Amino acid sequence: VATLKATINVSSVVLVAMDGPETSYGASNFIPSWMYWQKLPRSLQYPKTVILHRRDGTSWGFSIVGGADPTTERTEPVHVLFVVPESPAAKDGKLKCGDRLLAVDGQSLETVAHSTAVSMLKRTSTRVVMEVVSWLGTEI
């Protein structure tokens, strides 16, 4: 929306509709359309920084899916699957289901295995800095 509003002084704007169908690589690997949108070129994605705080020994309050799978050589981006109500992530309000995690404390998640991404999040202390891309329409 912000990008479109920025064109207010332009005499014409071309909008292109993109089809984003639900897809499946089999019964156990359903990919909702938000994952399709996350695969848009990086130039169309708007990363944001999310900083969370927690008490020592507690959870951040979200689960993730995705990551590299060494058995198939496929890599899916790491995404937030679920945000636990009343958790540090939920109380902060910036992290949403479907958000793509690009980095944790400056370390890229681009090609890491799922288990490595989980370990990276668990190794953080009481503060974590994440680079995140929200799917279109939920960037705020």
Side-chain angles (χ1 to χ4, degrees), residues 38 42 45-51 80 94-96 98-103 129-135:
Q38 289 289 357
R42 296 276 287 157
Q45 297 178 4
Y46 300 95
K48 64 183 177 185
T49 301
V50 175
I51 301 172
V80 174
K94 293 185 183 96
L95 198 63
K96 309 250 189 284
D99 283 356
R100 179 177 176 184
L101 299 183
L102 302 176
V129 178
M130 297 177 290
E131 283 298 310
V132 175
V133 174
S134 294
W135 52 296

Side-chain angles (χ1 to χ4, degrees), residues 25 29 31 35 39 65-79 100 109-114:
Y25 295 117
N29 196 5
I31 300 176
M35 289 188 74
K39 293 179 184 181
V65 293
D69 182 351
T71 62
T72 63
E73 296 185 19
R74 287 187 52 178
T75 299
E76 291 293 336
V78 176
H79 288 88
R100 179 177 176 184
L109 296 178
E110 287 293 318
T111 59
V112 302
H114 176 82

